[in-house]
Amino acid sequence: MTSRIQTPAAADAQGNTADVFAAIRKAVGMVPNAYAAIGALNTPALQAMLSADTVLSGGTLSAQERETVKLVASAIAGCDYCVAAHSLAAKASGIPVDTVRAIRGLEPTGDARRDALVRFVRVLQDSRGTLSPEAFEAFRAAGFEDAAVVDVALAIAIITFTNVFNRANDTAVDFPALK
């Protein structure tokens, strides 16, 4: 499958784009198709997304929780690319494969805190952010600080950007299937 937008090879990038791609390659071992396309078209947009992700990594959510949020939001959005990418990232963060499959299937995982996070993200996505007092209190009762609301919202914003781009572009998935 090919993407809708013709993207030059990441190896052919010049200037600032080449520098951004080199940093991505160093961090993850490759320049994923989504990043290659976004960076080739609008390097500052890719940099803004990566910067926001750096801010998120310093917040209240663990790596597993960040990947849970991104995986749930991507599954709801129907973004095959981001589901594939964040399934592997979730596994790399230490989430067992069966749990990753449950998260992306929007099914219970058996972990009360993680399941509360999944429910919270689902409510936010389904209600466009409008929460009942009960939904908010359930999130708190699972042990999440109020600051985690900011981090969940930021994670959703970041992944929504790539979900929308990848769906519009029909970005070719360059991640292996989850094993």
Side-chain angles (χ1 to χ4, degrees), residues 18-43:
D19 295 341
V20 171
F21 287 173
I24 292 168
R25 196 175 293 107
K26 183 178 179 182
V28 297
M30 64 183 267
V31 179
N33 286 342
Y35 289 178
I38 295 166
L41 296 167
N42 187 333
T43 304

Side-chain angles (χ1 to χ4, degrees), residues 1-63:
M1 175 180 85
T2 59
S3 302
R4 291 183 175 127
I5 299 170
Q6 287 288 81
T7 303
D12 296 337
Q14 301 290 315
N16 187 40
T17 305
D19 295 341
V20 171
F21 287 173
I24 292 168
R25 196 175 293 107
K26 183 178 179 182
V28 297
M30 64 183 267
V31 179
N33 286 342
Y35 289 178
I38 295 166
L41 296 167
N42 187 333
T43 304
L46 178 61
Q47 289 175 302
M49 188 203 67
L50 295 171
S51 292
D53 221 17
T54 298
V55 169
L56 180 62
S57 70
T60 63
L61 300 177
S62 70

Side-chain angles (χ1 to χ4, degrees), residues 108-131:
T109 66
D111 178 292
R113 182 176 166 93
R114 181 176 288 123
D115 289 346
L117 180 59
V118 169
R119 282 190 303 275
F120 188 70
V121 173
R122 288 186 73 176
V123 168
L124 287 174
Q125 293 294 89
D126 292 345
S127 70
R128 299 178 189 246
T130 302
L131 291 173

Side-chain angles (χ1 to χ4, degrees), residues 63-88:
Q64 289 186 7
E65 291 166 339
R66 292 190 304 271
E67 290 306 324
T68 296
V69 173
K70 291 178 180 183
L71 194 49
V72 170
S74 297
I76 292 168
C79 181
D80 294 341
Y81 188 92
C82 291
V83 167
H86 291 284
S87 290
L88 290 177

Side-chain angles (χ1 to χ4, degrees), residues 64 68 71-72 87 90-91 94-111 114-115 118 178:
Q64 289 186 7
T68 296
L71 194 49
V72 170
S87 290
K91 180 181 171 189
I95 299 175
V97 172
D98 289 344
T99 303
V100 172
R101 286 191 178 105
I103 294 167
R104 69 186 197 185
L106 306 175
E107 300 167 357
T109 66
D111 178 292
R114 181 176 288 123
D115 289 346
V118 169
L178 187 65

